[in-house]
Amino acid sequence: MRRAAKIDANQTQVVSALRAAGVSVQSLAAVGNGVPDLLCGFRGKLSLLEVKDGSKVPSARKLTPDQVDWHAIWADMPLFVVETPEQALKALGVIA
């Protein structure tokens, strides 16, 4: 039996802020294997977001080895690591 996907405590806030701003959001957290947490669509562009919990110590916010590998393979894609709703909105160009 598969376990439920583990998400960071702030991911719900990030998703809520993005959707309130008109961003289409699909959670990819259940995929695992280094795949970023969120697939986002805004103004005809797709972007990927890896959500890290900014309240954790820096060592707990590092990318996992699987995430590092995934990011390296997909380096030419719009891929951002964010900790707050504001960072997510800025990364997607929703706010300046």
Side-chain angles (χ1 to χ4, degrees):
M1 177 180 272
R2 187 179 171 106
R3 287 185 286 147
K6 181 181 156 199
I7 64 169
D8 283 298
N10 58 332
Q11 185 167 316
T12 301
Q13 292 174 316
V14 169
V15 170
S16 293
L18 291 170
R19 287 184 174 151
V23 177
S24 298
V25 181
Q26 177 65 52
S27 175
L28 302 176
V31 176
N33 298 317
V35 174
D37 296 311
L38 304 174
L39 173 64
C40 302
F42 185 68
R43 295 187 179 154
K45 294 183 181 179
L46 292 176
S47 299
L48 296 154
L49 298 181
E50 176 62 40
V51 180
K52 295 294 184 185
D53 188 343
S55 69
K56 293 183 177 179
V57 297
S59 61
R61 289 181 267 162
K62 288 176 133 181
L63 294 175
T64 66
D66 281 347
Q67 290 168 338
V68 169
D69 291 344
W70 202 96
H71 285 221
I73 292 168
W74 293 85
D76 61 339
M77 298 299 296
L79 175 56
F80 307 96
V81 178
V82 300
E83 296 179 2
T84 66
E86 182 179 14
Q87 287 177 352
L89 293 167
K90 284 182 178 180
L92 299 181
V94 177
I95 61 174

